[in-house]
Amino acid sequence: MARPFDVSAVEKKWQARWLDEGTYEVDNDDERERFFALCMYPYPSGTAHQGHIRNYTFGDLVVRYQTMRGKAVLTPFGFDSFGLPAENAAIKAGSHPRLFTDARMGELKSSVRRLGAVYDWRREVFSHDPNYMKWAQAIFLEFFKAGLAYRAEAPVNWCPGCATVLANEQVNADGTCDRSGDLVQRRNLEQWFFKITDYAEELLNDIDTLEWPERVKTMQRNWIGRSEGVEFDLPLAFDPSRALRVFTTRPDTGFGVTYAVVAPEHPMLAELVTEDEREGVERLIERASQASELERTASSDAGAGLDKRGAFTGSFVINPFSGESVPVYVADYVLGTYGTGAIMAVPAEDERDFAFAQVHGLSVVRTIEPPAGHGEGPYSGEGTHINSGFMDGMDVAHAKEAAAAFLEEHAKGVRKVNYRLRDWLVSRQRFWGCPIPIVYCDVDGIVPVPVEQLPVLAPDDVVMDKSGQSPLATHEGFRNTTCPTCGRPARREADTMDTFTDSSWYFLRYADPFTADRAFDPAQVAKWMPVDQYIGGIEHAILHLLYARFYLKALVDIGLAPGLAREPFKRLFTQGMIRLDGSKMSKSKGNLIAPEKYYDTVGADGLRLFHLFVGPPADDVDWTAQTEDIIEGCARFLDRIYRLSHYDECFFHEDETPDDLEVRREVHRAIAKVSADLEAWSYNTAVAALMELLNTISKWARRAEGAHRSTLDESLDVLLRLLAPMAPHLSAELWEQRHPGEAGVHAQSWPVADPALVARSSVVMVVQVNGKVRARLDVSPEVSEDDATSAALASAEVQKFLAGATPQRVVARPPRLVNIIL
């Protein structure tokens, strides 16, 4: 499409000026009100795709808008540059991951700059920078010193395709790796963990203080998974002096316990299994060892597969409520890492217990009276207790208390709180990550690397082969070292840290990348933290966001971040994803639409406006055949602004008229509308308001009667200031043309609406009869509900449709709508 200006030249001009002049660089001693705006730092997979563009467009709008509101805005950029994709690419190419990563960083940085997104590049952080690695390792050592980092053997999720351990959060519900898609296996390995469980209660409670989407907060609550209940003994039938320890959140259903279940990893399982049942139990243990925890705990529909997911051990335990013996089963859906690794089963009150009982022919005893017509299935809601001995007739709350007291007296019961959250497994058997700064000495055991010897860097002379094994494990020059304590030969840890450790504190380094002798100066960081606005995808709701919250709390507690708020991100916005052919746009899926094809045609401004206009920012967007038309429509809107700014086809008159005043009113209404929309993340309606304002100004200025010149100039200047955060290049260019020698448009104050001009003397109220518009009435903006109803019923147009009938109901929503239902 033909454009009235050289899009590429204009955009390159302003991108270079903002960069060269450091327009958006801020110092930590800036005395303006501070605002920390941050988009989640990206993995450098190559040039930006439309998902990146959407994210950085939103972030850049926030930066420019808050700056125009007079704030010192911190807007840094960096790269989450360690990770598996770079390592896999290097294996395919037979090169070093650093070469791949550095090249991709350059490509992504170029794409982002061409978008016109502005950053304080002095603060750039990337994970594989040796200086950043040094302090990442120093933090690990402080965690180790404080007892927050520990090494233990544990069953782990092993991805054969990635040849590494995965955290539970990185395993899909179907038991596959979220990166490679391979079926995840279970292995026992010595691993490093962070004690995130020490913070479970605080992580849960503090969620309510955050201005985050409720969906994200709910996901974190569910992942932490707080359960309040009682832990107690089920005595072994063959030896009542010993017991199987179980945990339940519903002790009140104890009379309904008809069997118990232990995890395949339970330490008592071997002695519970009789010879007659050993073969079946061993088959189940083998199957469970190949499944992830998420796969094992997935719901089972109507008992599907439960015949293979459980096996009778041959042993019995005694129900302390009824005194009866109940069978003990082993099942893969019980986890050895949760609670005691054993549960009491109440099939009358639990869907899975019921399905399991049906498959294995176990009895069902109902202990809560279900509502009439409920049927034979399980019921766990409110009701009166039945078949429950001393609890008969009680409601659930009173029965829970009575049951807990009974267990405390008769079954060594202890009231407890359990969490679904497990400690964070941070060991990775990969090369391209930050090495764990630990050595192993035959004399001194586990020895931390002294801080003065950091960073521990991976060697460059490695062979990235297709075996999948990290070359660190076999690189003798790297593995062989000396013990820092005794000086004897020692072996260096070959594992690297989970890359989520890097993204759990990078925002702190952004706030102070200038301090050389520590990770950051808390006094400097405190000037910016917490992040005022964090922007990123919903896919990070559990992993990154939970880990970053834990990291900051731990850093405060161990003295590395004294005085900082304990939550890193005050406000969070999760933008919708871009889908192509039904799938999220990503490099790994190969379904990318690069922005470069648009930069030289519609320009970065046109593409930015598309992402702002196409729909609510939180909603997903499908990239379809109509997308090109919408993008070109956004470019035509900018062209119209350019022509109007040069007074094309405009006419003028000398004295201001009522029509001119009404345009001024519309301008101030647009200021109020756009300002409110930007605060509410309603970017699509903000763009629509500017389009409507442009139509109003254009029709007025190009009519035969003409426009008042100063009113038109005022209107155009306001339009450019409102447009400046959205389409920064054209706004800056037109402002410079209209105000040569003055400060640029982005240095101007954000316009403020005059309430007197915004107010309307009357508004149009729509009147509907049975949902169809039958009249439009001019009413006062302050019209009451009663007066609106009276005016609607008195309207001659409405009276025709009423034909003397009395309305069944009138719904009034003054001053905009009255709906009359006959």
Side-chain angles (χ1 to χ4, degrees), residues 43-45 80-102 104 128 179 430-432 464:
Y43 179 78
S45 56
D80 190 8
S81 53
F82 277 133
L84 194 57
E87 185 164 338
N88 288 340
I91 290 172
K92 290 180 181 178
S95 64
H96 197 287
R98 184 181 296 105
L99 302 177
F100 172 88
T101 302
D102 289 344
R104 301 295 84 74
H128 74 285
R179 167 59 63 175
R430 305 304 305 183
F431 172 77
W432 192 234
M464 304 300 298

PDB file of all heavy atoms in Angstrom, residues 43-45 80-102 104 128 179 430-432 464:
ATOM      1  N   TYR A  43      13.527 -16.088  26.439  1.00  0.00           N
ATOM      2  CA  TYR A  43      14.530 -17.035  25.976  1.00  0.00           C
ATOM      3  C   TYR A  43      14.921 -16.627  24.557  1.00  0.00           C
ATOM      4  O   TYR A  43      14.047 -16.402  23.716  1.00  0.00           O
ATOM      5  CB  TYR A  43      13.983 -18.466  25.984  1.00  0.00           C
ATOM      6  CG  TYR A  43      15.031 -19.433  25.488  1.00  0.00           C
ATOM      7  CD1 TYR A  43      16.068 -19.822  26.338  1.00  0.00           C
ATOM      8  CD2 TYR A  43      15.045 -19.874  24.175  1.00  0.00           C
ATOM      9  CE1 TYR A  43      17.076 -20.645  25.875  1.00  0.00           C
ATOM     10  CE2 TYR A  43      16.053 -20.701  23.711  1.00  0.00           C
ATOM     11  CZ  TYR A  43      17.064 -21.085  24.569  1.00  0.00           C
ATOM     12  OH  TYR A  43      18.066 -21.890  24.112  1.00  0.00           O
ATOM     13  N   PRO A  44      16.212 -16.523  24.247  1.00  0.00           N
ATOM     14  CA  PRO A  44      16.629 -16.037  22.917  1.00  0.00           C
ATOM     15  C   PRO A  44      16.559 -17.131  21.854  1.00  0.00           C
ATOM     16  O   PRO A  44      17.559 -17.756  21.505  1.00  0.00           O
ATOM     17  CB  PRO A  44      18.079 -15.580  23.151  1.00  0.00           C
ATOM     18  CG  PRO A  44      18.569 -16.452  24.262  1.00  0.00           C
ATOM     19  CD  PRO A  44      17.375 -16.705  25.148  1.00  0.00           C
ATOM     20  N   SER A  45      15.369 -17.336  21.337  1.00  0.00           N
ATOM     21  CA  SER A  45      15.178 -18.393  20.340  1.00  0.00           C
ATOM     22  C   SER A  45      15.399 -17.897  18.916  1.00  0.00           C
ATOM     23  O   SER A  45      15.350 -18.678  17.972  1.00  0.00           O
ATOM     24  CB  SER A  45      13.760 -18.969  20.458  1.00  0.00           C
ATOM     25  OG  SER A  45      12.799 -17.945  20.332  1.00  0.00           O
ATOM     26  N   ASP A  80      17.003 -14.787  29.142  1.00  0.00           N
ATOM     27  CA  ASP A  80      17.023 -16.037  29.900  1.00  0.00           C
ATOM     28  C   ASP A  80      17.802 -17.041  29.044  1.00  0.00           C
ATOM     29  O   ASP A  80      17.239 -17.941  28.437  1.00  0.00           O
ATOM     30  CB  ASP A  80      15.580 -16.493  30.130  1.00  0.00           C
ATOM     31  CG  ASP A  80      15.473 -17.637  31.110  1.00  0.00           C
ATOM     32  OD1 ASP A  80      16.482 -17.987  31.729  1.00  0.00           O
ATOM     33  OD2 ASP A  80      14.363 -18.182  31.249  1.00  0.00           O
ATOM     34  N   SER A  81      19.129 -16.873  29.005  1.00  0.00           N
ATOM     35  CA  SER A  81      19.908 -17.418  27.898  1.00  0.00           C
ATOM     36  C   SER A  81      20.442 -18.830  28.086  1.00  0.00           C
ATOM     37  O   SER A  81      20.997 -19.402  27.145  1.00  0.00           O
ATOM     38  CB  SER A  81      21.079 -16.478  27.587  1.00  0.00           C
ATOM     39  OG  SER A  81      21.840 -16.209  28.747  1.00  0.00           O
ATOM     40  N   PHE A  82      20.302 -19.399  29.280  1.00  0.00           N
ATOM     41  CA  PHE A  82      20.603 -20.818  29.440  1.00  0.00           C
ATOM     42  C   PHE A  82      19.367 -21.626  29.068  1.00  0.00           C
ATOM     43  O   PHE A  82      18.245 -21.138  29.156  1.00  0.00           O
ATOM     44  CB  PHE A  82      20.997 -21.138  30.884  1.00  0.00           C
ATOM     45  CG  PHE A  82      22.436 -20.877  31.217  1.00  0.00           C
ATOM     46  CD1 PHE A  82      22.781 -20.197  32.381  1.00  0.00           C
ATOM     47  CD2 PHE A  82      23.450 -21.325  30.384  1.00  0.00           C
ATOM     48  CE1 PHE A  82      24.104 -19.967  32.710  1.00  0.00           C
ATOM     49  CE2 PHE A  82      24.786 -21.094  30.703  1.00  0.00           C
ATOM     50  CZ  PHE A  82      25.109 -20.414  31.859  1.00  0.00           C
ATOM     51  N   GLY A  83      19.582 -22.880  28.677  1.00  0.00           N
ATOM     52  CA  GLY A  83      18.417 -23.720  28.458  1.00  0.00           C
ATOM     53  C   GLY A  83      18.624 -24.811  27.439  1.00  0.00           C
ATOM     54  O   GLY A  83      19.593 -24.826  26.667  1.00  0.00           O
ATOM     55  N   LEU A  84      17.685 -25.724  27.437  1.00  0.00           N
ATOM     56  CA  LEU A  84      17.772 -26.920  26.624  1.00  0.00           C
ATOM     57  C   LEU A  84      17.730 -26.669  25.118  1.00  0.00           C
ATOM     58  O   LEU A  84      18.442 -27.332  24.366  1.00  0.00           O
ATOM     59  CB  LEU A  84      16.653 -27.877  27.035  1.00  0.00           C
ATOM     60  CG  LEU A  84      16.754 -29.310  26.559  1.00  0.00           C
ATOM     61  CD1 LEU A  84      18.052 -29.950  27.021  1.00  0.00           C
ATOM     62  CD2 LEU A  84      15.563 -30.108  27.088  1.00  0.00           C
ATOM     63  N   PRO A  85      16.890 -25.740  24.607  1.00  0.00           N
ATOM     64  CA  PRO A  85      16.845 -25.538  23.155  1.00  0.00           C
ATOM     65  C   PRO A  85      18.206 -25.197  22.553  1.00  0.00           C
ATOM     66  O   PRO A  85      18.559 -25.709  21.486  1.00  0.00           O
ATOM     67  CB  PRO A  85      15.851 -24.385  22.988  1.00  0.00           C
ATOM     68  CG  PRO A  85      14.960 -24.495  24.181  1.00  0.00           C
ATOM     69  CD  PRO A  85      15.865 -24.937  25.295  1.00  0.00           C
ATOM     70  N   ALA A  86      18.981 -24.343  23.225  1.00  0.00           N
ATOM     71  CA  ALA A  86      20.300 -23.988  22.704  1.00  0.00           C
ATOM     72  C   ALA A  86      21.222 -25.198  22.713  1.00  0.00           C
ATOM     73  O   ALA A  86      22.022 -25.404  21.785  1.00  0.00           O
ATOM     74  CB  ALA A  86      20.910 -22.861  23.528  1.00  0.00           C
ATOM     75  N   GLU A  87      21.114 -26.009  23.761  1.00  0.00           N
ATOM     76  CA  GLU A  87      21.961 -27.194  23.836  1.00  0.00           C
ATOM     77  C   GLU A  87      21.610 -28.192  22.737  1.00  0.00           C
ATOM     78  O   GLU A  87      22.490 -28.753  22.079  1.00  0.00           O
ATOM     79  CB  GLU A  87      21.815 -27.845  25.211  1.00  0.00           C
ATOM     80  CG  GLU A  87      22.758 -29.008  25.424  1.00  0.00           C
ATOM     81  CD  GLU A  87      22.890 -29.390  26.890  1.00  0.00           C
ATOM     82  OE1 GLU A  87      22.612 -28.544  27.760  1.00  0.00           O
ATOM     83  OE2 GLU A  87      23.281 -30.533  27.152  1.00  0.00           O
ATOM     84  N   ASN A  88      20.310 -28.392  22.520  1.00  0.00           N
ATOM     85  CA  ASN A  88      19.895 -29.317  21.460  1.00  0.00           C
ATOM     86  C   ASN A  88      20.309 -28.810  20.080  1.00  0.00           C
ATOM     87  O   ASN A  88      20.706 -29.595  19.213  1.00  0.00           O
ATOM     88  CB  ASN A  88      18.382 -29.535  21.510  1.00  0.00           C
ATOM     89  CG  ASN A  88      17.959 -30.387  22.698  1.00  0.00           C
ATOM     90  OD1 ASN A  88      18.780 -31.110  23.270  1.00  0.00           O
ATOM     91  ND2 ASN A  88      16.699 -30.313  23.073  1.00  0.00           N
ATOM     92  N   ALA A  89      20.199 -27.487  19.870  1.00  0.00           N
ATOM     93  CA  ALA A  89      20.614 -26.914  18.589  1.00  0.00           C
ATOM     94  C   ALA A  89      22.117 -27.092  18.385  1.00  0.00           C
ATOM     95  O   ALA A  89      22.579 -27.380  17.270  1.00  0.00           O
ATOM     96  CB  ALA A  89      20.244 -25.433  18.535  1.00  0.00           C
ATOM     97  N   ALA A  90      22.878 -26.937  19.458  1.00  0.00           N
ATOM     98  CA  ALA A  90      24.323 -27.118  19.361  1.00  0.00           C
ATOM     99  C   ALA A  90      24.680 -28.569  19.068  1.00  0.00           C
ATOM    100  O   ALA A  90      25.625 -28.855  18.319  1.00  0.00           O
ATOM    101  CB  ALA A  90      24.990 -26.652  20.657  1.00  0.00           C
ATOM    102  N   ILE A  91      23.934 -29.505  19.666  1.00  0.00           N
ATOM    103  CA  ILE A  91      24.171 -30.925  19.395  1.00  0.00           C
ATOM    104  C   ILE A  91      23.949 -31.220  17.914  1.00  0.00           C
ATOM    105  O   ILE A  91      24.735 -31.912  17.265  1.00  0.00           O
ATOM    106  CB  ILE A  91      23.257 -31.797  20.279  1.00  0.00           C
ATOM    107  CG1 ILE A  91      23.705 -31.709  21.748  1.00  0.00           C
ATOM    108  CG2 ILE A  91      23.270 -33.242  19.806  1.00  0.00           C
ATOM    109  CD1 ILE A  91      22.748 -32.376  22.716  1.00  0.00           C
ATOM    110  N   LYS A  92      22.873 -30.673  17.340  1.00  0.00           N
ATOM    111  CA  LYS A  92      22.583 -30.892  15.924  1.00  0.00           C
ATOM    112  C   LYS A  92      23.669 -30.287  15.039  1.00  0.00           C
ATOM    113  O   LYS A  92      24.051 -30.870  14.020  1.00  0.00           O
ATOM    114  CB  LYS A  92      21.220 -30.281  15.564  1.00  0.00           C
ATOM    115  CG  LYS A  92      20.036 -31.024  16.162  1.00  0.00           C
ATOM    116  CD  LYS A  92      18.724 -30.351  15.757  1.00  0.00           C
ATOM    117  CE  LYS A  92      17.533 -31.073  16.371  1.00  0.00           C
ATOM    118  NZ  LYS A  92      16.252 -30.407  16.031  1.00  0.00           N
ATOM    119  N   ALA A  93      24.163 -29.110  15.442  1.00  0.00           N
ATOM    120  CA  ALA A  93      25.142 -28.408  14.612  1.00  0.00           C
ATOM    121  C   ALA A  93      26.567 -28.820  14.936  1.00  0.00           C
ATOM    122  O   ALA A  93      27.494 -28.481  14.197  1.00  0.00           O
ATOM    123  CB  ALA A  93      24.989 -26.900  14.805  1.00  0.00           C
ATOM    124  N   GLY A  94      26.756 -29.540  16.041  1.00  0.00           N
ATOM    125  CA  GLY A  94      28.094 -29.910  16.464  1.00  0.00           C
ATOM    126  C   GLY A  94      28.928 -28.725  16.908  1.00  0.00           C
ATOM    127  O   GLY A  94      30.150 -28.717  16.759  1.00  0.00           O
ATOM    128  N   SER A  95      28.252 -27.688  17.460  1.00  0.00           N
ATOM    129  CA  SER A  95      28.948 -26.477  17.878  1.00  0.00           C
ATOM    130  C   SER A  95      28.720 -26.253  19.364  1.00  0.00           C
ATOM    131  O   SER A  95      28.109 -27.068  20.050  1.00  0.00           O
ATOM    132  CB  SER A  95      28.450 -25.270  17.077  1.00  0.00           C
ATOM    133  OG  SER A  95      27.077 -25.019  17.351  1.00  0.00           O
ATOM    134  N   HIS A  96      29.181 -25.101  19.852  1.00  0.00           N
ATOM    135  CA  HIS A  96      29.018 -24.757  21.257  1.00  0.00           C
ATOM    136  C   HIS A  96      27.713 -23.985  21.449  1.00  0.00           C
ATOM    137  O   HIS A  96      27.377 -23.118  20.631  1.00  0.00           O
ATOM    138  CB  HIS A  96      30.204 -23.904  21.724  1.00  0.00           C
ATOM    139  CG  HIS A  96      30.347 -23.826  23.204  1.00  0.00           C
ATOM    140  ND1 HIS A  96      29.496 -23.089  23.996  1.00  0.00           N
ATOM    141  CD2 HIS A  96      31.245 -24.400  24.058  1.00  0.00           C
ATOM    142  CE1 HIS A  96      29.855 -23.201  25.262  1.00  0.00           C
ATOM    143  NE2 HIS A  96      30.917 -23.991  25.328  1.00  0.00           N
ATOM    144  N   PRO A  97      26.959 -24.267  22.522  1.00  0.00           N
ATOM    145  CA  PRO A  97      25.692 -23.557  22.731  1.00  0.00           C
ATOM    146  C   PRO A  97      25.851 -22.048  22.841  1.00  0.00           C
ATOM    147  O   PRO A  97      24.919 -21.308  22.512  1.00  0.00           O
ATOM    148  CB  PRO A  97      25.174 -24.148  24.050  1.00  0.00           C
ATOM    149  CG  PRO A  97      25.826 -25.473  24.174  1.00  0.00           C
ATOM    150  CD  PRO A  97      27.169 -25.324  23.532  1.00  0.00           C
ATOM    151  N   ARG A  98      27.021 -21.587  23.286  1.00  0.00           N
ATOM    152  CA  ARG A  98      27.212 -20.151  23.424  1.00  0.00           C
ATOM    153  C   ARG A  98      27.120 -19.452  22.068  1.00  0.00           C
ATOM    154  O   ARG A  98      26.564 -18.346  21.959  1.00  0.00           O
ATOM    155  CB  ARG A  98      28.566 -19.850  24.080  1.00  0.00           C
ATOM    156  CG  ARG A  98      28.785 -18.345  24.342  1.00  0.00           C
ATOM    157  CD  ARG A  98      30.145 -18.047  24.967  1.00  0.00           C
ATOM    158  NE  ARG A  98      30.266 -18.655  26.280  1.00  0.00           N
ATOM    159  CZ  ARG A  98      30.975 -19.741  26.536  1.00  0.00           C
ATOM    160  NH1 ARG A  98      31.643 -20.346  25.553  1.00  0.00           N
ATOM    161  NH2 ARG A  98      31.046 -20.239  27.754  1.00  0.00           N
ATOM    162  N   LEU A  99      27.659 -20.083  21.037  1.00  0.00           N
ATOM    163  CA  LEU A  99      27.623 -19.483  19.697  1.00  0.00           C
ATOM    164  C   LEU A  99      26.186 -19.349  19.215  1.00  0.00           C
ATOM    165  O   LEU A  99      25.786 -18.311  18.673  1.00  0.00           O
ATOM    166  CB  LEU A  99      28.440 -20.338  18.723  1.00  0.00           C
ATOM    167  CG  LEU A  99      29.914 -20.560  19.086  1.00  0.00           C
ATOM    168  CD1 LEU A  99      30.576 -21.492  18.075  1.00  0.00           C
ATOM    169  CD2 LEU A  99      30.638 -19.217  19.142  1.00  0.00           C
ATOM    170  N   PHE A 100      25.407 -20.407  19.414  1.00  0.00           N
ATOM    171  CA  PHE A 100      23.998 -20.374  19.024  1.00  0.00           C
ATOM    172  C   PHE A 100      23.263 -19.289  19.812  1.00  0.00           C
ATOM    173  O   PHE A 100      22.505 -18.496  19.247  1.00  0.00           O
ATOM    174  CB  PHE A 100      23.366 -21.745  19.290  1.00  0.00           C
ATOM    175  CG  PHE A 100      21.878 -21.792  19.099  1.00  0.00           C
ATOM    176  CD1 PHE A 100      21.334 -22.060  17.855  1.00  0.00           C
ATOM    177  CD2 PHE A 100      21.019 -21.569  20.165  1.00  0.00           C
ATOM    178  CE1 PHE A 100      19.953 -22.100  17.680  1.00  0.00           C
ATOM    179  CE2 PHE A 100      19.646 -21.610  20.002  1.00  0.00           C
ATOM    180  CZ  PHE A 100      19.116 -21.874  18.749  1.00  0.00           C
ATOM    181  N   THR A 101      23.497 -19.262  21.124  1.00  0.00           N
ATOM    182  CA  THR A 101      22.775 -18.335  21.988  1.00  0.00           C
ATOM    183  C   THR A 101      23.109 -16.887  21.667  1.00  0.00           C
ATOM    184  O   THR A 101      22.214 -16.034  21.565  1.00  0.00           O
ATOM    185  CB  THR A 101      23.089 -18.639  23.462  1.00  0.00           C
ATOM    186  OG1 THR A 101      22.722 -19.992  23.752  1.00  0.00           O
ATOM    187  CG2 THR A 101      22.347 -17.699  24.388  1.00  0.00           C
ATOM    188  N   ASP A 102      24.379 -16.580  21.502  1.00  0.00           N
ATOM    189  CA  ASP A 102      24.763 -15.202  21.209  1.00  0.00           C
ATOM    190  C   ASP A 102      24.157 -14.713  19.895  1.00  0.00           C
ATOM    191  O   ASP A 102      23.719 -13.562  19.790  1.00  0.00           O
ATOM    192  CB  ASP A 102      26.284 -15.076  21.155  1.00  0.00           C
ATOM    193  CG  ASP A 102      26.932 -15.204  22.535  1.00  0.00           C
ATOM    194  OD1 ASP A 102      26.203 -15.093  23.542  1.00  0.00           O
ATOM    195  OD2 ASP A 102      28.160 -15.423  22.599  1.00  0.00           O
ATOM    196  N   ARG A 104      21.354 -15.802  18.507  1.00  0.00           N
ATOM    197  CA  ARG A 104      19.906 -15.629  18.673  1.00  0.00           C
ATOM    198  C   ARG A 104      19.598 -14.362  19.481  1.00  0.00           C
ATOM    199  O   ARG A 104      18.599 -13.690  19.239  1.00  0.00           O
ATOM    200  CB  ARG A 104      19.306 -16.844  19.366  1.00  0.00           C
ATOM    201  CG  ARG A 104      19.503 -18.173  18.667  1.00  0.00           C
ATOM    202  CD  ARG A 104      18.800 -18.278  17.303  1.00  0.00           C
ATOM    203  NE  ARG A 104      19.568 -17.709  16.223  1.00  0.00           N
ATOM    204  CZ  ARG A 104      20.660 -18.279  15.691  1.00  0.00           C
ATOM    205  NH1 ARG A 104      21.130 -19.423  16.160  1.00  0.00           N
ATOM    206  NH2 ARG A 104      21.289 -17.713  14.694  1.00  0.00           N
ATOM    207  N   HIS A 128      23.973 -16.370  30.888  1.00  0.00           N
ATOM    208  CA  HIS A 128      25.286 -16.982  30.705  1.00  0.00           C
ATOM    209  C   HIS A 128      26.444 -15.983  30.795  1.00  0.00           C
ATOM    210  O   HIS A 128      27.584 -16.340  30.530  1.00  0.00           O
ATOM    211  CB  HIS A 128      25.341 -17.777  29.393  1.00  0.00           C
ATOM    212  CG  HIS A 128      25.411 -16.940  28.139  1.00  0.00           C
ATOM    213  ND1 HIS A 128      24.342 -16.272  27.617  1.00  0.00           N
ATOM    214  CD2 HIS A 128      26.451 -16.685  27.291  1.00  0.00           C
ATOM    215  CE1 HIS A 128      24.694 -15.642  26.505  1.00  0.00           C
ATOM    216  NE2 HIS A 128      25.971 -15.875  26.287  1.00  0.00           N
ATOM    217  N   ARG A 179       8.709 -30.267  27.103  1.00  0.00           N
ATOM    218  CA  ARG A 179       9.585 -29.770  26.060  1.00  0.00           C
ATOM    219  C   ARG A 179       9.693 -30.750  24.901  1.00  0.00           C
ATOM    220  O   ARG A 179       9.421 -30.412  23.759  1.00  0.00           O
ATOM    221  CB  ARG A 179      10.980 -29.467  26.652  1.00  0.00           C
ATOM    222  CG  ARG A 179      12.089 -29.232  25.628  1.00  0.00           C
ATOM    223  CD  ARG A 179      11.819 -28.088  24.679  1.00  0.00           C
ATOM    224  NE  ARG A 179      11.728 -26.811  25.350  1.00  0.00           N
ATOM    225  CZ  ARG A 179      11.594 -25.661  24.707  1.00  0.00           C
ATOM    226  NH1 ARG A 179      11.513 -25.630  23.393  1.00  0.00           N
ATOM    227  NH2 ARG A 179      11.503 -24.527  25.372  1.00  0.00           N
ATOM    228  N   ARG A 430      22.493 -31.339  32.458  1.00  0.00           N
ATOM    229  CA  ARG A 430      22.702 -30.673  31.177  1.00  0.00           C
ATOM    230  C   ARG A 430      23.985 -29.854  31.228  1.00  0.00           C
ATOM    231  O   ARG A 430      24.479 -29.492  32.302  1.00  0.00           O
ATOM    232  CB  ARG A 430      21.529 -29.745  30.835  1.00  0.00           C
ATOM    233  CG  ARG A 430      20.173 -30.395  30.838  1.00  0.00           C
ATOM    234  CD  ARG A 430      20.068 -31.596  29.929  1.00  0.00           C
ATOM    235  NE  ARG A 430      20.442 -31.324  28.550  1.00  0.00           N
ATOM    236  CZ  ARG A 430      20.361 -32.228  27.583  1.00  0.00           C
ATOM    237  NH1 ARG A 430      19.943 -33.457  27.836  1.00  0.00           N
ATOM    238  NH2 ARG A 430      20.721 -31.912  26.347  1.00  0.00           N
ATOM    239  N   PHE A 431      24.478 -29.526  30.053  1.00  0.00           N
ATOM    240  CA  PHE A 431      25.694 -28.717  29.941  1.00  0.00           C
ATOM    241  C   PHE A 431      25.381 -27.227  30.005  1.00  0.00           C
ATOM    242  O   PHE A 431      26.036 -26.477  30.734  1.00  0.00           O
ATOM    243  CB  PHE A 431      26.411 -29.042  28.633  1.00  0.00           C
ATOM    244  CG  PHE A 431      27.565 -28.117  28.334  1.00  0.00           C
ATOM    245  CD1 PHE A 431      28.776 -28.263  28.993  1.00  0.00           C
ATOM    246  CD2 PHE A 431      27.436 -27.088  27.405  1.00  0.00           C
ATOM    247  CE1 PHE A 431      29.841 -27.404  28.730  1.00  0.00           C
ATOM    248  CE2 PHE A 431      28.482 -26.228  27.132  1.00  0.00           C
ATOM    249  CZ  PHE A 431      29.695 -26.395  27.794  1.00  0.00           C
ATOM    250  N   TRP A 432      24.376 -26.792  29.223  1.00  0.00           N
ATOM    251  CA  TRP A 432      24.150 -25.362  29.046  1.00  0.00           C
ATOM    252  C   TRP A 432      23.270 -24.817  30.179  1.00  0.00           C
ATOM    253  O   TRP A 432      22.090 -24.567  30.038  1.00  0.00           O
ATOM    254  CB  TRP A 432      23.533 -25.079  27.686  1.00  0.00           C
ATOM    255  CG  TRP A 432      23.535 -23.620  27.292  1.00  0.00           C
ATOM    256  CD1 TRP A 432      22.463 -22.887  26.906  1.00  0.00           C
ATOM    257  CD2 TRP A 432      24.672 -22.743  27.238  1.00  0.00           C
ATOM    258  NE1 TRP A 432      22.840 -21.599  26.616  1.00  0.00           N
ATOM    259  CE2 TRP A 432      24.194 -21.487  26.802  1.00  0.00           C
ATOM    260  CE3 TRP A 432      26.034 -22.892  27.506  1.00  0.00           C
ATOM    261  CZ2 TRP A 432      25.031 -20.388  26.634  1.00  0.00           C
ATOM    262  CZ3 TRP A 432      26.867 -21.801  27.346  1.00  0.00           C
ATOM    263  CH2 TRP A 432      26.370 -20.569  26.909  1.00  0.00           C
ATOM    264  N   MET A 464      29.668 -31.715  21.870  1.00  0.00           N
ATOM    265  CA  MET A 464      28.213 -31.820  22.020  1.00  0.00           C
ATOM    266  C   MET A 464      27.721 -32.923  21.091  1.00  0.00           C
ATOM    267  O   MET A 464      27.417 -32.702  19.920  1.00  0.00           O
ATOM    268  CB  MET A 464      27.551 -30.477  21.674  1.00  0.00           C
ATOM    269  CG  MET A 464      28.062 -29.292  22.494  1.00  0.00           C
ATOM    270  SD  MET A 464      27.815 -29.493  24.274  1.00  0.00           S
ATOM    271  CE  MET A 464      26.031 -29.576  24.345  1.00  0.00           C
TER     272      MET A 464
END
